[in-house]
Amino acid sequence: MRWISGGQGMRRGLLVACLAAWLGVAWFGFGLLLDRIYDEATVQSNEEFRRMMHGPITLIEKALKPYPLAQWPTVLAGMQHDFDYRLAIQPLDQMKLPHLDHARLVRGEITLGEDQDMVLHRVAGSRQVLVLGPIWITPARSDYPRYVSVHQLIAAFILALIGFLWIVSQWLVAPARRDHRRLQEAMSVLAGGDLSVQLQAAESRRYETVVGQFNRMTAGLRSLIEQQREVSRAVSHELRTPLARFRFGLALLEDELPAAHGKHATLAALQRATDELESLIESALVYARMSHAQQPAIRVETHDLMAWIRQELSLWPQTGIRVVLNGPDQPLMVPFDALQLRHAFRNLLANACRFARSEVTLTVSRQDDEVALHVHDDGPGVPAGEETRIFEPFVRGSRPNGAGHGLGLAIAARIMALHGGQIGLKPGVGAHFYLQWPV
């Protein structure tokens, strides 16, 4: 019995891993959001601080203009008691600043120092830089919420909510998803012909009924197949035994009945009917064994296909029909089950010889990863409308000289399915069948 289980432990571990990954991504993303807020807040506060410092700087410049450059430090020292930060003057050429900040000073703009706590401004009409500070102007990390906009808060909340709901939904639907996956696996195994497949108990309520019905269905199929096997064995025993007695009776009648007009013709007709009945029984049993649910194990081995066909033709009885074999001269090594392929090949060849006028052509070809065996006769061909039905069991078709029981092509189709290949009919003059399978 083949059981399909869920593997809950591994999947639960994957869900925990996904949750941990989401938490890591959320933490990283929140950190990026805070950094972005900090940068925006810094730029905003710097711009506001420049505008705020424009007034004090203008007043200091007006206070310095009446005095010569040499007295500017003295003037600033006298003004120092009115300011909470240090006032100084430095030559522009001695300032070590980045290129952009230096250019701002040259243009007369208010510039912040490299540490963002010094305020610099070139006094108009001079090469002297007024230095104010240090002054604390950058926002503290604890002030982040003051700079967070409503839109940013809503976006962060929505993203966190979506992530949380996704994780919860995955957690809730995980059992149903595992049940669905197990059901798909079991259906694939069942489609492959393994009726022993069974499903473990469902993890979700939604699939409890489905799992129970599937297990009951496979159990019913196994019961039907077992009944079919029993019927096949019964038919094999109950029909073959009376058939053998009938043959024995015919032999006794041939010896005991006096010679009479039509005696031998009657016995010959009875013998042919007996042969036909025995052939039908054998074909029916072979087809039953080839049924999809009871596919026999095939023994695929590598053979020289051309040599194998020549050997089969050497054992073929003379029917008055010329058989021509076309194919590569060198050995053609391909894998197949010689015993099973013999059934399919002989069925096709027997049909071709039965309906051919004078000649049957066998053609062997290989293209890429497939090999094909074509059987083409010069007979009347398959009537229109029967191209697909003739592969169904017990369909004999309406061609003249028709005989058999309509099982040969069905058996050949089953055999090719076991090889992973197919049997087909090509259009054209006469009947052109082919066997094709991968190599």
Side-chain angles (χ1 to χ4, degrees), residues 18 42 58 105-106 114 131 149 161 172 184 193 214 239 251 260 311 375-376 393 397 434 437:
C18 292
T42 300
T58 301
L105 283 178
V106 172
E114 188 173 1
V131 180
S149 66
L161 181 62
L172 293 177
Q184 285 183 322
F214 179 85
L239 289 183
Q311 180 181 6
V375 181
H376 188 190
Y434 65 90
W437 67 96

mmCIF file with all atom_site columns, all heavy atoms in Angstrom, residues 18 42 58 105-106 114 131 149 161 172 184 193 214 239 251 260 311 375-376 393 397 434 437:
data_model
loop_
_atom_site.group_PDB
_atom_site.id
_atom_site.type_symbol
_atom_site.label_atom_id
_atom_site.label_alt_id
_atom_site.label_comp_id
_atom_site.label_asym_id
_atom_site.label_entity_id
_atom_site.label_seq_id
_atom_site.pdbx_PDB_ins_code
_atom_site.Cartn_x
_atom_site.Cartn_y
_atom_site.Cartn_z
_atom_site.occupancy
_atom_site.B_iso_or_equiv
_atom_site.pdbx_formal_charge
_atom_site.auth_seq_id
_atom_site.auth_comp_id
_atom_site.auth_asym_id
_atom_site.auth_atom_id
_atom_site.pdbx_PDB_model_num
ATOM 1   N N   . CYS A 1 18  ? 9.920   31.756  6.465   1.00 0.00 ? 18  CYS A N   1
ATOM 2   C CA  . CYS A 1 18  ? 9.327   32.891  5.750   1.00 0.00 ? 18  CYS A CA  1
ATOM 3   C C   . CYS A 1 18  ? 8.963   34.011  6.725   1.00 0.00 ? 18  CYS A C   1
ATOM 4   O O   . CYS A 1 18  ? 9.167   35.194  6.421   1.00 0.00 ? 18  CYS A O   1
ATOM 5   C CB  . CYS A 1 18  ? 8.094   32.435  4.979   1.00 0.00 ? 18  CYS A CB  1
ATOM 6   S SG  . CYS A 1 18  ? 8.446   31.344  3.595   1.00 0.00 ? 18  CYS A SG  1
ATOM 7   N N   . THR A 1 42  ? 16.759  66.588  8.197   1.00 0.00 ? 42  THR A N   1
ATOM 8   C CA  . THR A 1 42  ? 18.005  67.360  8.245   1.00 0.00 ? 42  THR A CA  1
ATOM 9   C C   . THR A 1 42  ? 18.008  68.443  7.170   1.00 0.00 ? 42  THR A C   1
ATOM 10  O O   . THR A 1 42  ? 18.348  69.606  7.438   1.00 0.00 ? 42  THR A O   1
ATOM 11  C CB  . THR A 1 42  ? 19.201  66.425  8.059   1.00 0.00 ? 42  THR A CB  1
ATOM 12  O OG1 . THR A 1 42  ? 19.203  65.453  9.114   1.00 0.00 ? 42  THR A OG1 1
ATOM 13  C CG2 . THR A 1 42  ? 20.503  67.191  8.093   1.00 0.00 ? 42  THR A CG2 1
ATOM 14  N N   . THR A 1 58  ? 22.971  89.550  8.988   1.00 0.00 ? 58  THR A N   1
ATOM 15  C CA  . THR A 1 58  ? 22.839  90.883  8.389   1.00 0.00 ? 58  THR A CA  1
ATOM 16  C C   . THR A 1 58  ? 23.154  91.979  9.404   1.00 0.00 ? 58  THR A C   1
ATOM 17  O O   . THR A 1 58  ? 23.857  92.961  9.104   1.00 0.00 ? 58  THR A O   1
ATOM 18  C CB  . THR A 1 58  ? 21.419  91.061  7.841   1.00 0.00 ? 58  THR A CB  1
ATOM 19  O OG1 . THR A 1 58  ? 21.160  90.048  6.863   1.00 0.00 ? 58  THR A OG1 1
ATOM 20  C CG2 . THR A 1 58  ? 21.250  92.431  7.185   1.00 0.00 ? 58  THR A CG2 1
ATOM 21  N N   . LEU A 1 105 ? 30.063  79.941  -0.326  1.00 0.00 ? 105 LEU A N   1
ATOM 22  C CA  . LEU A 1 105 ? 30.628  81.094  0.376   1.00 0.00 ? 105 LEU A CA  1
ATOM 23  C C   . LEU A 1 105 ? 31.030  82.181  -0.608  1.00 0.00 ? 105 LEU A C   1
ATOM 24  O O   . LEU A 1 105 ? 30.807  83.378  -0.358  1.00 0.00 ? 105 LEU A O   1
ATOM 25  C CB  . LEU A 1 105 ? 31.836  80.657  1.207   1.00 0.00 ? 105 LEU A CB  1
ATOM 26  C CG  . LEU A 1 105 ? 31.543  79.939  2.524   1.00 0.00 ? 105 LEU A CG  1
ATOM 27  C CD1 . LEU A 1 105 ? 32.854  79.533  3.206   1.00 0.00 ? 105 LEU A CD1 1
ATOM 28  C CD2 . LEU A 1 105 ? 30.713  80.804  3.459   1.00 0.00 ? 105 LEU A CD2 1
ATOM 29  N N   . VAL A 1 106 ? 31.659  81.789  -1.703  1.00 0.00 ? 106 VAL A N   1
ATOM 30  C CA  . VAL A 1 106 ? 32.079  82.780  -2.704  1.00 0.00 ? 106 VAL A CA  1
ATOM 31  C C   . VAL A 1 106 ? 30.872  83.534  -3.251  1.00 0.00 ? 106 VAL A C   1
ATOM 32  O O   . VAL A 1 106 ? 30.928  84.745  -3.491  1.00 0.00 ? 106 VAL A O   1
ATOM 33  C CB  . VAL A 1 106 ? 32.869  82.093  -3.828  1.00 0.00 ? 106 VAL A CB  1
ATOM 34  C CG1 . VAL A 1 106 ? 33.156  83.062  -4.972  1.00 0.00 ? 106 VAL A CG1 1
ATOM 35  C CG2 . VAL A 1 106 ? 34.185  81.548  -3.277  1.00 0.00 ? 106 VAL A CG2 1
ATOM 36  N N   . GLU A 1 114 ? 31.192  71.641  7.974   1.00 0.00 ? 114 GLU A N   1
ATOM 37  C CA  . GLU A 1 114 ? 31.214  70.230  7.637   1.00 0.00 ? 114 GLU A CA  1
ATOM 38  C C   . GLU A 1 114 ? 30.542  69.390  8.703   1.00 0.00 ? 114 GLU A C   1
ATOM 39  O O   . GLU A 1 114 ? 29.940  68.354  8.398   1.00 0.00 ? 114 GLU A O   1
ATOM 40  C CB  . GLU A 1 114 ? 32.667  69.794  7.433   1.00 0.00 ? 114 GLU A CB  1
ATOM 41  C CG  . GLU A 1 114 ? 32.814  68.397  6.882   1.00 0.00 ? 114 GLU A CG  1
ATOM 42  C CD  . GLU A 1 114 ? 34.259  68.061  6.539   1.00 0.00 ? 114 GLU A CD  1
ATOM 43  O OE1 . GLU A 1 114 ? 35.139  68.909  6.745   1.00 0.00 ? 114 GLU A OE1 1
ATOM 44  O OE2 . GLU A 1 114 ? 34.491  66.936  6.057   1.00 0.00 ? 114 GLU A OE2 1
ATOM 45  N N   . VAL A 1 131 ? 32.191  83.452  11.153  1.00 0.00 ? 131 VAL A N   1
ATOM 46  C CA  . VAL A 1 131 ? 31.989  82.105  11.678  1.00 0.00 ? 131 VAL A CA  1
ATOM 47  C C   . VAL A 1 131 ? 31.174  82.202  12.951  1.00 0.00 ? 131 VAL A C   1
ATOM 48  O O   . VAL A 1 131 ? 31.585  82.874  13.909  1.00 0.00 ? 131 VAL A O   1
ATOM 49  C CB  . VAL A 1 131 ? 33.324  81.394  11.958  1.00 0.00 ? 131 VAL A CB  1
ATOM 50  C CG1 . VAL A 1 131 ? 33.077  79.987  12.495  1.00 0.00 ? 131 VAL A CG1 1
ATOM 51  C CG2 . VAL A 1 131 ? 34.184  81.364  10.707  1.00 0.00 ? 131 VAL A CG2 1
ATOM 52  N N   . SER A 1 149 ? 5.516   62.326  8.327   1.00 0.00 ? 149 SER A N   1
ATOM 53  C CA  . SER A 1 149 ? 4.262   62.833  7.773   1.00 0.00 ? 149 SER A CA  1
ATOM 54  C C   . SER A 1 149 ? 3.159   61.802  7.945   1.00 0.00 ? 149 SER A C   1
ATOM 55  O O   . SER A 1 149 ? 3.409   60.609  8.184   1.00 0.00 ? 149 SER A O   1
ATOM 56  C CB  . SER A 1 149 ? 4.430   63.173  6.293   1.00 0.00 ? 149 SER A CB  1
ATOM 57  O OG  . SER A 1 149 ? 4.676   61.995  5.557   1.00 0.00 ? 149 SER A OG  1
ATOM 58  N N   . LEU A 1 161 ? 0.508   45.949  7.909   1.00 0.00 ? 161 LEU A N   1
ATOM 59  C CA  . LEU A 1 161 ? -0.749  45.206  7.981   1.00 0.00 ? 161 LEU A CA  1
ATOM 60  C C   . LEU A 1 161 ? -0.835  44.160  6.883   1.00 0.00 ? 161 LEU A C   1
ATOM 61  O O   . LEU A 1 161 ? -1.258  43.019  7.119   1.00 0.00 ? 161 LEU A O   1
ATOM 62  C CB  . LEU A 1 161 ? -1.930  46.180  7.898   1.00 0.00 ? 161 LEU A CB  1
ATOM 63  C CG  . LEU A 1 161 ? -3.329  45.549  7.974   1.00 0.00 ? 161 LEU A CG  1
ATOM 64  C CD1 . LEU A 1 161 ? -3.512  44.842  9.318   1.00 0.00 ? 161 LEU A CD1 1
ATOM 65  C CD2 . LEU A 1 161 ? -4.399  46.608  7.758   1.00 0.00 ? 161 LEU A CD2 1
ATOM 66  N N   . LEU A 1 172 ? -3.081  29.980  7.894   1.00 0.00 ? 172 LEU A N   1
ATOM 67  C CA  . LEU A 1 172 ? -4.410  29.391  7.947   1.00 0.00 ? 172 LEU A CA  1
ATOM 68  C C   . LEU A 1 172 ? -4.677  28.444  6.782   1.00 0.00 ? 172 LEU A C   1
ATOM 69  O O   . LEU A 1 172 ? -5.330  27.408  6.942   1.00 0.00 ? 172 LEU A O   1
ATOM 70  C CB  . LEU A 1 172 ? -5.475  30.499  7.973   1.00 0.00 ? 172 LEU A CB  1
ATOM 71  C CG  . LEU A 1 172 ? -5.512  31.364  9.243   1.00 0.00 ? 172 LEU A CG  1
ATOM 72  C CD1 . LEU A 1 172 ? -6.549  32.456  9.111   1.00 0.00 ? 172 LEU A CD1 1
ATOM 73  C CD2 . LEU A 1 172 ? -5.790  30.518  10.480  1.00 0.00 ? 172 LEU A CD2 1
ATOM 74  N N   . GLN A 1 184 ? -3.124  15.993  -5.463  1.00 0.00 ? 184 GLN A N   1
ATOM 75  C CA  . GLN A 1 184 ? -2.567  16.026  -6.817  1.00 0.00 ? 184 GLN A CA  1
ATOM 76  C C   . GLN A 1 184 ? -1.535  14.918  -7.017  1.00 0.00 ? 184 GLN A C   1
ATOM 77  O O   . GLN A 1 184 ? -1.520  14.253  -8.062  1.00 0.00 ? 184 GLN A O   1
ATOM 78  C CB  . GLN A 1 184 ? -1.935  17.394  -7.078  1.00 0.00 ? 184 GLN A CB  1
ATOM 79  C CG  . GLN A 1 184 ? -2.938  18.509  -7.326  1.00 0.00 ? 184 GLN A CG  1
ATOM 80  C CD  . GLN A 1 184 ? -2.252  19.816  -7.657  1.00 0.00 ? 184 GLN A CD  1
ATOM 81  O OE1 . GLN A 1 184 ? -1.207  20.155  -7.088  1.00 0.00 ? 184 GLN A OE1 1
ATOM 82  N NE2 . GLN A 1 184 ? -2.820  20.563  -8.564  1.00 0.00 ? 184 GLN A NE2 1
ATOM 83  N N   . GLY A 1 193 ? -1.338  4.215   -13.033 1.00 0.00 ? 193 GLY A N   1
ATOM 84  C CA  . GLY A 1 193 ? -1.720  2.812   -12.938 1.00 0.00 ? 193 GLY A CA  1
ATOM 85  C C   . GLY A 1 193 ? -1.491  2.168   -11.590 1.00 0.00 ? 193 GLY A C   1
ATOM 86  O O   . GLY A 1 193 ? -1.777  0.985   -11.413 1.00 0.00 ? 193 GLY A O   1
ATOM 87  N N   . PHE A 1 214 ? -11.722 9.715   -2.056  1.00 0.00 ? 214 PHE A N   1
ATOM 88  C CA  . PHE A 1 214 ? -10.614 9.218   -2.884  1.00 0.00 ? 214 PHE A CA  1
ATOM 89  C C   . PHE A 1 214 ? -10.165 7.841   -2.413  1.00 0.00 ? 214 PHE A C   1
ATOM 90  O O   . PHE A 1 214 ? -9.950  6.938   -3.227  1.00 0.00 ? 214 PHE A O   1
ATOM 91  C CB  . PHE A 1 214 ? -9.452  10.202  -2.835  1.00 0.00 ? 214 PHE A CB  1
ATOM 92  C CG  . PHE A 1 214 ? -8.257  9.777   -3.643  1.00 0.00 ? 214 PHE A CG  1
ATOM 93  C CD1 . PHE A 1 214 ? -8.183  10.053  -4.995  1.00 0.00 ? 214 PHE A CD1 1
ATOM 94  C CD2 . PHE A 1 214 ? -7.218  9.068   -3.051  1.00 0.00 ? 214 PHE A CD2 1
ATOM 95  C CE1 . PHE A 1 214 ? -7.084  9.647   -5.738  1.00 0.00 ? 214 PHE A CE1 1
ATOM 96  C CE2 . PHE A 1 214 ? -6.130  8.665   -3.785  1.00 0.00 ? 214 PHE A CE2 1
ATOM 97  C CZ  . PHE A 1 214 ? -6.066  8.958   -5.140  1.00 0.00 ? 214 PHE A CZ  1
ATOM 98  N N   . LEU A 1 239 ? -13.127 -22.236 -20.172 1.00 0.00 ? 239 LEU A N   1
ATOM 99  C CA  . LEU A 1 239 ? -13.265 -22.300 -21.630 1.00 0.00 ? 239 LEU A CA  1
ATOM 100 C C   . LEU A 1 239 ? -12.212 -23.202 -22.268 1.00 0.00 ? 239 LEU A C   1
ATOM 101 O O   . LEU A 1 239 ? -12.494 -23.911 -23.231 1.00 0.00 ? 239 LEU A O   1
ATOM 102 C CB  . LEU A 1 239 ? -13.177 -20.895 -22.236 1.00 0.00 ? 239 LEU A CB  1
ATOM 103 C CG  . LEU A 1 239 ? -14.381 -19.976 -21.972 1.00 0.00 ? 239 LEU A CG  1
ATOM 104 C CD1 . LEU A 1 239 ? -14.186 -18.645 -22.687 1.00 0.00 ? 239 LEU A CD1 1
ATOM 105 C CD2 . LEU A 1 239 ? -15.679 -20.630 -22.447 1.00 0.00 ? 239 LEU A CD2 1
ATOM 106 N N   . ALA A 1 251 ? -11.434 -35.250 -33.224 1.00 0.00 ? 251 ALA A N   1
ATOM 107 C CA  . ALA A 1 251 ? -10.474 -36.252 -33.698 1.00 0.00 ? 251 ALA A CA  1
ATOM 108 C C   . ALA A 1 251 ? -11.094 -37.654 -33.682 1.00 0.00 ? 251 ALA A C   1
ATOM 109 O O   . ALA A 1 251 ? -10.888 -38.458 -34.610 1.00 0.00 ? 251 ALA A O   1
ATOM 110 C CB  . ALA A 1 251 ? -9.213  -36.205 -32.843 1.00 0.00 ? 251 ALA A CB  1
ATOM 111 N N   . ALA A 1 260 ? -18.280 -40.406 -45.933 1.00 0.00 ? 260 ALA A N   1
ATOM 112 C CA  . ALA A 1 260 ? -19.512 -39.920 -46.551 1.00 0.00 ? 260 ALA A CA  1
ATOM 113 C C   . ALA A 1 260 ? -19.221 -38.630 -47.276 1.00 0.00 ? 260 ALA A C   1
ATOM 114 O O   . ALA A 1 260 ? -18.206 -37.951 -47.016 1.00 0.00 ? 260 ALA A O   1
ATOM 115 C CB  . ALA A 1 260 ? -20.593 -39.721 -45.505 1.00 0.00 ? 260 ALA A CB  1
ATOM 116 N N   . GLN A 1 311 ? 14.871  -12.052 -37.989 1.00 0.00 ? 311 GLN A N   1
ATOM 117 C CA  . GLN A 1 311 ? 14.605  -13.334 -37.339 1.00 0.00 ? 311 GLN A CA  1
ATOM 118 C C   . GLN A 1 311 ? 13.110  -13.627 -37.301 1.00 0.00 ? 311 GLN A C   1
ATOM 119 O O   . GLN A 1 311 ? 12.679  -14.772 -37.533 1.00 0.00 ? 311 GLN A O   1
ATOM 120 C CB  . GLN A 1 311 ? 15.186  -13.323 -35.927 1.00 0.00 ? 311 GLN A CB  1
ATOM 121 C CG  . GLN A 1 311 ? 14.969  -14.631 -35.163 1.00 0.00 ? 311 GLN A CG  1
ATOM 122 C CD  . GLN A 1 311 ? 15.526  -14.573 -33.762 1.00 0.00 ? 311 GLN A CD  1
ATOM 123 O OE1 . GLN A 1 311 ? 15.981  -13.533 -33.320 1.00 0.00 ? 311 GLN A OE1 1
ATOM 124 N NE2 . GLN A 1 311 ? 15.492  -15.698 -33.067 1.00 0.00 ? 311 GLN A NE2 1
ATOM 125 N N   . VAL A 1 375 ? 4.550   -0.615  -41.274 1.00 0.00 ? 375 VAL A N   1
ATOM 126 C CA  . VAL A 1 375 ? 4.029   -1.795  -41.963 1.00 0.00 ? 375 VAL A CA  1
ATOM 127 C C   . VAL A 1 375 ? 2.997   -1.297  -42.976 1.00 0.00 ? 375 VAL A C   1
ATOM 128 O O   . VAL A 1 375 ? 1.929   -0.818  -42.600 1.00 0.00 ? 375 VAL A O   1
ATOM 129 C CB  . VAL A 1 375 ? 3.392   -2.794  -40.975 1.00 0.00 ? 375 VAL A CB  1
ATOM 130 C CG1 . VAL A 1 375 ? 2.891   -4.016  -41.738 1.00 0.00 ? 375 VAL A CG1 1
ATOM 131 C CG2 . VAL A 1 375 ? 4.395   -3.210  -39.902 1.00 0.00 ? 375 VAL A CG2 1
ATOM 132 N N   . HIS A 1 376 ? 3.333   -1.419  -44.274 1.00 0.00 ? 376 HIS A N   1
ATOM 133 C CA  . HIS A 1 376 ? 2.513   -0.824  -45.341 1.00 0.00 ? 376 HIS A CA  1
ATOM 134 C C   . HIS A 1 376 ? 2.152   -1.906  -46.361 1.00 0.00 ? 376 HIS A C   1
ATOM 135 O O   . HIS A 1 376 ? 3.046   -2.556  -46.923 1.00 0.00 ? 376 HIS A O   1
ATOM 136 C CB  . HIS A 1 376 ? 3.305   0.307   -46.012 1.00 0.00 ? 376 HIS A CB  1
ATOM 137 C CG  . HIS A 1 376 ? 2.503   1.109   -46.980 1.00 0.00 ? 376 HIS A CG  1
ATOM 138 N ND1 . HIS A 1 376 ? 3.075   2.029   -47.837 1.00 0.00 ? 376 HIS A ND1 1
ATOM 139 C CD2 . HIS A 1 376 ? 1.172   1.125   -47.230 1.00 0.00 ? 376 HIS A CD2 1
ATOM 140 C CE1 . HIS A 1 376 ? 2.121   2.573   -48.564 1.00 0.00 ? 376 HIS A CE1 1
ATOM 141 N NE2 . HIS A 1 376 ? 0.967   2.043   -48.217 1.00 0.00 ? 376 HIS A NE2 1
ATOM 142 N N   . PRO A 1 393 ? -11.049 -2.053  -28.904 1.00 0.00 ? 393 PRO A N   1
ATOM 143 C CA  . PRO A 1 393 ? -11.219 -3.516  -28.807 1.00 0.00 ? 393 PRO A CA  1
ATOM 144 C C   . PRO A 1 393 ? -12.530 -3.974  -29.451 1.00 0.00 ? 393 PRO A C   1
ATOM 145 O O   . PRO A 1 393 ? -13.549 -3.292  -29.371 1.00 0.00 ? 393 PRO A O   1
ATOM 146 C CB  . PRO A 1 393 ? -11.219 -3.773  -27.294 1.00 0.00 ? 393 PRO A CB  1
ATOM 147 C CG  . PRO A 1 393 ? -11.586 -2.459  -26.678 1.00 0.00 ? 393 PRO A CG  1
ATOM 148 C CD  . PRO A 1 393 ? -11.037 -1.411  -27.579 1.00 0.00 ? 393 PRO A CD  1
ATOM 149 N N   . GLY A 1 397 ? -13.868 -3.584  -38.270 1.00 0.00 ? 397 GLY A N   1
ATOM 150 C CA  . GLY A 1 397 ? -13.821 -2.809  -39.502 1.00 0.00 ? 397 GLY A CA  1
ATOM 151 C C   . GLY A 1 397 ? -14.614 -3.481  -40.603 1.00 0.00 ? 397 GLY A C   1
ATOM 152 O O   . GLY A 1 397 ? -15.149 -4.589  -40.458 1.00 0.00 ? 397 GLY A O   1
ATOM 153 N N   . TYR A 1 434 ? 2.058   2.133   -38.219 1.00 0.00 ? 434 TYR A N   1
ATOM 154 C CA  . TYR A 1 434 ? 3.406   2.293   -37.707 1.00 0.00 ? 434 TYR A CA  1
ATOM 155 C C   . TYR A 1 434 ? 3.418   2.146   -36.180 1.00 0.00 ? 434 TYR A C   1
ATOM 156 O O   . TYR A 1 434 ? 2.434   2.466   -35.501 1.00 0.00 ? 434 TYR A O   1
ATOM 157 C CB  . TYR A 1 434 ? 3.992   3.658   -38.097 1.00 0.00 ? 434 TYR A CB  1
ATOM 158 C CG  . TYR A 1 434 ? 3.290   4.841   -37.496 1.00 0.00 ? 434 TYR A CG  1
ATOM 159 C CD1 . TYR A 1 434 ? 3.660   5.373   -36.266 1.00 0.00 ? 434 TYR A CD1 1
ATOM 160 C CD2 . TYR A 1 434 ? 2.221   5.432   -38.160 1.00 0.00 ? 434 TYR A CD2 1
ATOM 161 C CE1 . TYR A 1 434 ? 3.018   6.449   -35.710 1.00 0.00 ? 434 TYR A CE1 1
ATOM 162 C CE2 . TYR A 1 434 ? 1.547   6.514   -37.616 1.00 0.00 ? 434 TYR A CE2 1
ATOM 163 C CZ  . TYR A 1 434 ? 1.954   7.034   -36.391 1.00 0.00 ? 434 TYR A CZ  1
ATOM 164 O OH  . TYR A 1 434 ? 1.307   8.098   -35.846 1.00 0.00 ? 434 TYR A OH  1
ATOM 165 N N   . TRP A 1 437 ? 8.233   4.484   -30.710 1.00 0.00 ? 437 TRP A N   1
ATOM 166 C CA  . TRP A 1 437 ? 8.510   4.584   -29.285 1.00 0.00 ? 437 TRP A CA  1
ATOM 167 C C   . TRP A 1 437 ? 9.860   5.280   -29.070 1.00 0.00 ? 437 TRP A C   1
ATOM 168 O O   . TRP A 1 437 ? 10.733  5.281   -29.946 1.00 0.00 ? 437 TRP A O   1
ATOM 169 C CB  . TRP A 1 437 ? 8.495   3.209   -28.626 1.00 0.00 ? 437 TRP A CB  1
ATOM 170 C CG  . TRP A 1 437 ? 9.610   2.254   -29.027 1.00 0.00 ? 437 TRP A CG  1
ATOM 171 C CD1 . TRP A 1 437 ? 10.777  2.040   -28.380 1.00 0.00 ? 437 TRP A CD1 1
ATOM 172 C CD2 . TRP A 1 437 ? 9.644   1.390   -30.187 1.00 0.00 ? 437 TRP A CD2 1
ATOM 173 N NE1 . TRP A 1 437 ? 11.525  1.108   -29.027 1.00 0.00 ? 437 TRP A NE1 1
ATOM 174 C CE2 . TRP A 1 437 ? 10.859  0.686   -30.131 1.00 0.00 ? 437 TRP A CE2 1
ATOM 175 C CE3 . TRP A 1 437 ? 8.753   1.154   -31.243 1.00 0.00 ? 437 TRP A CE3 1
ATOM 176 C CZ2 . TRP A 1 437 ? 11.223  -0.241  -31.114 1.00 0.00 ? 437 TRP A CZ2 1
ATOM 177 C CZ3 . TRP A 1 437 ? 9.112   0.238   -32.210 1.00 0.00 ? 437 TRP A CZ3 1
ATOM 178 C CH2 . TRP A 1 437 ? 10.328  -0.458  -32.154 1.00 0.00 ? 437 TRP A CH2 1
#
